[in-house]
Amino acid sequence: MSGVSLLLVEDDLELAGLLDRVLTDEGYQVSHAPDGQRGLHLALTRGFEVMVVDRGLPAVEGLDLIGRLRGRGVATPMLVLSARGTTQDRVDGLDAGAEDYLSKPFELTELLARLRALLRRHPDRTESLVIPGGQLDLSTRTVRRASGDQVELSEREARLLALLAARPGAVFSRGELLDRVFDAAESETVVDTYVHYCRRKLGRGVITTVRGLGYRLGAL
Ligand code: CA
C-alpha cells in the first residue's frame, strides 16, 4: 500500500497534523488542504488516488466539494469525516458521491482499515489527471468524461494532454511541446496537428490557443 497519494481536506489543524503523521507512517503520500477552496484546487490540478474530506469546512463545504469534483469527472475514491453521525448525514454523504463515511470521533485503526478497503475496491491505482470535461487515465490512455463516456487517445494525444494538465495555468510554446512530447526532428506543425486531434475527440475547449505564445490546458 506504500506510495498511495492521498489528499486530506481538514480544517481542524490539530487533527490534520495527527492524521498526516499517522497516514505518512502507513506509507501514504499525504497532501493537506485546510479549507474546501484549496482542496478543490489541489484535487483539480493534481491526481490523487484517494481523498479524505471533512464535512464541515470553510470556503467550500465538504459535500459541496465532493459534488463539484464528481461533476468535473474526478473519480478518486473519497471518504467523508463528519462530526455528525446520523443516518441522514451518512445518506447525504454517500449521495454526494463519497464512497465511505466515518463519524467523529473515530479510531485511527478504523480510518486506516476503511482506507485499505476503499483502495481494494478501487484497485486501479492509476495516475490520473483532471482535464476540462473529464479525467485522463494515463495507464489506459482514456478520458472518462463527467457523463461517464470514455474516449480513447493515442499515445501522443495522451502525452500532450498530460503535459498540459500537469501545469494547468501554464502556457507551453510549440517548441517546448515539440521537444517534450514529440520528436524534436519533426516540424512544429505536428504540435498543431495533435492539438487538433485532441479537440476533435474532446471538444474545442480542451486546449486553449494563446496567440503568439503557444497552448495551455482549457479552463477547468
Ligand atoms: Ca471541520
Side-chain angles (χ1 to χ4, degrees):
M1 210 49 83
S2 68
V4 174
S5 59
L6 180 149
L7 176 60
L8 170 66
V9 191
E10 170 60 79
D11 61 316
D12 177 340
L13 296 184
E14 197 174 330
L15 177 60
L18 171 67
L19 292 178
D20 191 345
R21 282 195 299 281
V22 170
L23 291 165
T24 302
D25 281 350
E26 285 292 305
Y28 291 91
Q29 292 170 10
V30 180
S31 299
H32 172 235
D35 63 55
Q37 188 62 46
R38 277 178 275 188
L40 187 64
H41 178 73
L42 272 179
L44 286 174
T45 53
R46 287 164 48 182
F48 291 95
E49 289 162 295
V50 66
M51 286 177 58
V52 176
V53 180
D54 182 33
R55 180 166 179 174
L57 288 170
V60 176
E61 189 263 343
L63 298 191
D64 186 23
L65 168 65
I66 292 172
R68 291 200 209 179
L69 291 173
R70 294 298 187 228
R72 303 235 185 142
V74 175
T76 307
M78 302 184 197
L79 182 149
V80 174
L81 300 175
S82 175
R84 297 182 282 179
T86 66
T87 300
Q88 189 57 46
D89 289 319
R90 289 171 195 276
V91 170
D92 290 347
L94 298 174
D95 278 350
E99 273 73 19
D100 203 359
Y101 198 100
L102 192 56
S103 304
K104 295 178 179 177
F106 53 86
E107 296 289 336
L108 289 170
T109 50
E110 182 173 4
L111 173 65
L112 295 174
R114 284 176 179 269
L115 286 174
R116 286 194 298 271
L118 205 54
L119 290 165
R120 279 199 300 275
R121 294 202 296 274
H122 298 267
D124 50 335
R125 289 175 34 200
T126 50
E127 178 83 21
S128 66
L129 291 162
V130 179
I131 62 166
Q135 186 150 356
L136 168 62
D137 182 330
L138 291 175
S139 68
T140 58
R141 297 203 306 259
T142 54
V143 173
R144 178 160 34 172
R145 302 175 115 157
S147 62
D149 293 352
Q150 300 227 4
V151 179
E152 288 185 21
L153 302 179
S154 72
E155 186 186 348
R156 287 174 148 202
E157 291 161 355
R159 282 171 53 204
L160 174 61
L161 272 175
L163 181 60
L164 297 173
R167 282 164 56 208
V171 178
F172 293 82
S173 70
R174 292 157 88 221
E176 186 175 4
L177 293 170
L178 181 68
D179 201 38
R180 295 180 61 178
V181 179
F182 303 94
D183 181 344
E186 292 176 89
S187 152
E188 283 186 359
T189 56
V190 73
V191 177
D192 306 326
T193 301
Y194 277 86
V195 166
H196 171 73
Y197 291 159
C198 288
R199 285 174 172 162
R200 203 170 57 186
K201 287 187 176 178
L202 298 165
R204 278 206 65 75
V206 71
I207 296 173
T208 300
T209 302
V210 183
R211 204 166 290 279
L213 294 176
Y215 295 107
R216 66 170 168 77
L217 196 68
L220 284 171

